[in-house]
Amino acid sequence: MLTWPPRSLPSVKVLITIGLFITMLWNLKYVLNLSDIFSRAPRHTKPLMILVWEWPSKQAPNISTDVCRDLYNIMDCWLTMDRRLYSLADVVVFHHDTLQKNRDKLPKEKPPGQNWLWVSLESPTNTKALAGWKQTFNWVMTYRQDSDIFMPYGKLVPNRSAMVNIPNKTSLVTWVISNYHRSQKRAAVYRNLSRYLHVDIYGKANKKPLCKDCLLPTTSKSKFYLAFENSIHRDYITEKVWRNSLMAGTVPVVLGPPRANYEQFVPADSFIHVDDFQSLAELATFLKTMNASRYRQFFAWQKRYSVKLYVDWRERICMICTKYASLRQGHVYPDLESWFKA
Ligand SMILES: *[C@@H]1O[C@H](CO)[C@@H](O)[C@H](O)[C@H]1NC(C)=O
Ligand SMILES: *[C@@H]1O[C@H](CO)[C@@H](O)[C@H](O)[C@H]1NC(C)=O
Ligand SMILES: *[C@@H]1O[C@H](CO)[C@@H](O)[C@H](O)[C@H]1NC(C)=O
Ligand SMILES: *[C@@H]1O[C@H](CO)[C@@H](O)[C@H](O)[C@H]1NC(C)=O
Ligand SMILES: *[C@@H]1O[C@H](CO)[C@@H](O)[C@H](O)[C@H]1NC(C)=O
């Protein structure tokens, strides 16, 4: 039989007590969350100001708005090219190519807490006037993994909705080459390889330049692409792999650092390395006799990943802010050349 008020009033009290206890735990969780946020707060409290001494590409974009927030969702990161703000800048960015002609015009004094960042995406072979940069730069941003800010030409990003999509093929091997020098290793490998198979060549070197929007449609029609680097250095894996090959949907035949180095960037079964073969005749046979099912295996990565290219200097420079809190404050490179040529 039900009676009201219930005979056992104390049980109501218990219920209320439990309720209060849960409320208290809830508030406590909120407090704990807040303290978690505080402990992870970055060292700086104001927005970071990044002064770009000279814009790395020919056409400087309009960076008068909050481009890092608007384009990349990176907060509290102000870019400027106004040198009058020099003394307020947290980081000053110097692109190597623009340094040479202005060497004597660099500021003599560095405000306390300010760090200078040296930026270059070229390999040491292609970098002139590296000597004499001693005790100047605090941080470096290059394609090398051991840089303070590692800036690859591209990367694979996990994509759960990715699908395998192999474009239709009308040719076997393609190469796009604008600066052909007989003395480069890639030129010698090409000459030998072309004794065993036909290579479709585009680019300035062959007087068949490709317009910006024609590159991918052209390389994608080829089963294989000669992703031959102009010089061979650890981590120097350029848009020849990321854009011309992987993004285009063709299989890169790479010439560059050893296979193990490539495998730090892309799956082992996504590319063919020239060094995988005893001779270029064997490589040519492998390419010419490959059946459709073997060919498809090179695209297994497409089930899980998409290619992300880094091409816009605004994105690269905004990334300084996302890395800033983890960079070594007050570090300085005693000799840039010896670091880069190591
Ligand atoms: C840059 O963009 C801002 C805001 O859109 C505009 O006010 C300014 O005139 C632009 N500057 C140049 C040089 O185009
Ligand atoms: C993921 O893959 C789908 C299908 O290929 C594609 O449309 C989409 O752009 C990819 N997402 C990213 C972030 O690349
Ligand atoms: C590729 O070739 C197939 C079969 O010939 C054809 O059905 C398809 O439309 C082609 N795809 C493209 C993108 O041209
Ligand atoms: C090209 O072939 C020549 C002659 O067979 C050989 O001596 C040379 O080492 C080869 N070079 C390369 C880069 O394969
Ligand atoms: C295709 O080539 C692979 C590797 O050479 C071989 O193992 C496989 O049996 C071939 N498949 C067919 C259908 O010929």
Side-chain angles (χ1 to χ4, degrees):
M1 200 168 70
L2 291 172
T3 55
W4 189 261
R7 260 179 306 168
S8 52
L9 259 180
S11 72
V12 174
K13 277 190 193 153
V14 167
L15 281 179
I16 290 170
T17 312
I18 290 173
L20 283 174
F21 189 62
I22 288 171
T23 312
M24 200 187 79
L25 274 181
W26 183 258
N27 288 336
L28 194 64
K29 168 181 162 284
Y30 189 63
V31 169
L32 285 175
N33 257 0
L34 277 181
S35 65
D36 203 25
I37 288 165
F38 283 129
S39 67
R40 267 185 291 165
R43 275 199 295 261
H44 62 279
T45 49
K46 55 182 171 133
L48 286 172
M49 186 184 287
I50 314 290
L51 171 61
V52 183
W53 197 248
E54 249 182 84
W55 197 260
S57 59
K58 278 198 190 77
Q59 203 99 62
N62 186 347
I63 53 171
S64 63
T65 55
D66 191 346
V67 288
C68 298
R69 185 199 61 195
D70 297 348
L71 299 178
Y72 310 111
N73 205 25
I74 296 170
M75 303 299 164
D76 294 329
C77 188
W78 293 353
L79 309 190
T80 182
M81 291 191 63
D82 187 345
R83 292 184 190 177
R84 289 170 301 182
L85 300 174
Y86 173 73
S87 62
L88 300 174
D90 297 287
V91 180
V92 186
V93 178
F94 298 96
H95 184 241
H96 185 76
D97 295 356
T98 64
L99 268 178
Q100 282 161 261
K101 59 180 192 288
N102 291 318
R103 194 155 182 158
D104 42 353
K105 297 195 198 107
L106 295 189
K108 300 282 177 287
E109 303 267 312
K110 201 182 285 185
Q114 182 180 86
N115 287 281
W116 286 16
L117 176 70
W118 181 77
V119 179
S120 179
L121 297 179
E122 290 298 337
S123 76
T125 299
N126 302 322
T127 308
K128 301 200 168 49
L130 258 174
W133 290 110
K134 293 185 177 167
Q135 307 279 349
T136 310
F137 299 106
N138 304 98
W139 300 325
V140 300
M141 174 156 83
T142 83
Y143 64 85
R144 255 190 29 204
Q145 293 184 74
D146 61 344
S147 304
D148 299 280
I149 302 177
F150 167 46
M151 181 48 61
Y153 282 78
K155 67 176 180 185
L156 293 185
V157 290
N159 182 349
R160 288 150 71 100
S161 51
M163 290 178 306
V164 175
N165 174 25
I166 307 176
N168 288 344
K169 304 298 179 184
T170 56
S171 78
L172 185 65
V173 184
T174 294
W175 191 25
V176 177
I177 172 82
S178 23
N179 298 304
Y180 182 92
H181 298 289
R182 275 192 73 84
S183 60
Q184 288 175 342
K185 185 171 181 199
R186 63 180 178 180
V189 171
Y190 158 72
R191 281 196 303 274
N192 282 7
L193 186 63
S194 65
R195 293 195 299 210
Y196 310 107
L197 50 68
H198 175 76
V199 178
D200 288 312
I201 304 187
Y202 297 89
K204 270 187 288 180
N206 198 30
K207 300 194 178 64
K208 279 203 272 183
L210 289 172
C211 75
K212 204 163 166 274
D213 297 331
C214 312
L215 180 77
L216 290 195
T218 303
T219 61
S220 69
K221 290 194 190 77
S222 190
K223 282 171 109 174
F224 305 101
Y225 182 79
L226 300 186
F228 288 4
E229 300 301 348
N230 58 29
S231 51
I232 299 187
H233 300 274
R234 165 166 53 99
D235 296 342
Y236 188 57
I237 297 171
T238 69
E239 81 292 342
K240 296 167 182 67
V241 169
W242 298 111
R243 186 189 50 179
N244 305 10
S245 315
L246 297 179
M247 184 166 258
T250 179
V251 176
V253 178
V254 304
L255 174 78
R259 166 170 273 279
N261 195 188
Y262 279 91
E263 290 182 6
Q264 295 176 324
F265 292 78
V266 291
D269 59 358
S270 65
F271 66 96
I272 298 164
H273 200 296
V274 167
D275 296 347
D276 293 344
F277 300 87
Q278 295 284 329
S279 71
L280 294 171
E282 276 176 43
L283 169 59
T285 304
F286 181 71
L287 300 182
K288 283 195 289 190
T289 62
M290 189 179 298
N291 62 33
S293 60
R294 178 71 189 87
Y295 185 67
R296 277 191 75 79
Q297 285 173 20
F298 284 100
F299 294 87
W301 64 271
Q302 287 191 347
K303 288 179 209 148
R304 287 170 293 137
Y305 299 104
S306 292
V307 177
K308 152 87 184 143
L309 297 179
Y310 289 103
V311 287
D312 193 321
W313 277 104
R314 290 175 297 185
E315 180 170 22
R316 295 182 181 123
I317 290 166
C318 290
M319 273 178 61
I320 298 165
C321 291
T322 60
K323 298 280 154 100
Y324 182 84
S326 66
L327 298 177
R328 305 171 284 185
Q329 290 290 333
H331 175 264
V332 68
Y333 282 82
D335 180 7
L336 188 64
E337 183 177 36
S338 63
W339 177 79
F340 201 40
K341 298 230 157 149

